[in-house]
Amino acid sequence: SVLFRYQATGPIHSCERLDNGYTLVTDSEAACLRLLDRKMKPVASIPVTVKNKGPLRARRSPRGTYFVAQQSDHTVCEYDGNGKQLRSIPHPGAVYDITAMQNGNVVISGDGGEGGIRIVNPAGQVIWSLTAKDLADVKLEQPRGVSLLPNGNLFVASALVEINRQKEIVRRFPYTSTKNPGTPARAKLTGVTGQLPSTGDYLVANPETITKVSAAGKVVLKINTDTCHDIQWLRNGNILFCAGNNLKEINAAGDVIASYTGNGRILSCQRLANGQTVVLDATHTRLVLLDAALKGLSSIALQHDADPVRTGIVRESVHGLVVALGGESILREYDRHGAILRSIPCSGEVS
């Protein structure tokens, strides 16, 4: 049965469920983006500057801006939440799909010339491209439904292939249709985990070291540290971890990119979808939100029934932040202002 419905003034050419539970849709007829709440009621409208009216497709970037593929303008534009244009990326033909990457690059697919797929950096430079000439047996003149997979490869729905950055076909997907044996316009792989990377490498956190091991079992990086309580492999290839009262982000070579020293013991950390980082300060029983440079933004006091807090973990949810504190048999979900959204009782101590 239909749970919720939204009727736009014209065709909706794209939709995306955001991390906060809202839904982003494009209203191509009105030349704007709409933000809908959890019941599909409009809460905000973001104007889009167009020269030629046509299909619009939008995706929110990790930093909270909006990339819009303006098909008839042969352009991809980035807008802030008020509709201010931050940058414009020209394309040789109609633009069909965009994907905003964690590092600021954007994946663009469309036609024009030889068609294909491009990756453009924040300076507007094409740093990688794939055209019909690169793969003769794959139709790339008008690639549709292009998405970036967690392993860094590209899935092209219109050709039902997965292609790596070396421009090799990793796998093909069977497709049959009684009505149209040709290429589907849209498709999405399911069952693909969101954890990166998927190169076969893995991390081992020991009491005094963090070790990166290759799929072949070779140690490729070793970092001496205090007892590591939490660790995350970021989408840009960096490693985020907390030990003692320190939080660090390091690159693949082991160099410290950014760091934060708290006033108490940090038990857990996670990079959030909006680019901020949250840490669990056990000494003061609170969450601390940090900006992209790991500078403090705000804190959230946590409710707790057991003193002192010796173990704990925080993880981002669709609606906020879920916290488990050792010694308690309950999970609590908080919003970004510290209000408890729900409490989930458990049969035993949560760890």
Side-chain angles (χ1 to χ4, degrees), residues 226-227 229 242-247 260-267 283:
D226 295 332
T227 299
H229 292 292
C242 58
N245 64 339
N246 294 305
L247 173 76
Y260 166 78
T261 300
N263 296 321
R265 194 160 54 103
I266 299 174
L267 292 181
T283 304

Side-chain angles (χ1 to χ4, degrees), residues 9-72:
T9 57
I12 297 175
H13 287 100
S14 75
C15 60
E16 183 185 20
R17 177 60 52 82
L18 305 180
D19 292 320
N20 63 1
Y22 283 13
T23 300
L24 170 69
V25 301
T26 54
D27 189 332
S28 300
E29 182 66 25
C32 69
L33 312 181
R34 309 275 190 201
L35 287 174
L36 313 177
D37 66 15
R38 294 182 179 90
K39 293 185 178 181
M40 295 297 174
K41 303 297 182 183
V43 294
S45 179
I46 302 170
V48 174
T49 304
V50 299
K51 295 179 180 178
N52 305 289
K53 186 173 288 188
L56 302 175
R57 298 177 182 88
R59 289 291 181 263
R60 189 173 183 174
S61 74
R63 65 177 185 149
T65 59
Y66 301 90
F67 279 96
V68 182
Q70 301 178 197
Q71 182 172 316
S72 299

Side-chain angles (χ1 to χ4, degrees), residues 19 38 272 278 280 285-287 289 299-305 309 313-325 328 330-344:
D19 292 320
R38 294 182 179 90
L272 305 179
V278 62
L280 173 54
T285 321
R286 64 176 182 170
L287 302 179
L289 290 169
S299 63
I300 298 171
L302 300 176
Q303 181 177 328
H304 62 109
D305 304 324
V309 177
I313 188 168
V314 57
R315 289 294 180 260
E316 185 174 29
S317 67
V318 172
H319 306 302
L321 299 166
V322 176
V323 179
L325 299 178
E328 297 185 347
I330 192 168
L331 287 173
R332 296 184 180 92
E333 185 177 23
Y334 297 81
D335 68 13
R336 300 301 173 89
H337 304 290
I340 296 178
L341 300 176
R342 58 175 172 159
S343 297
I344 307 170

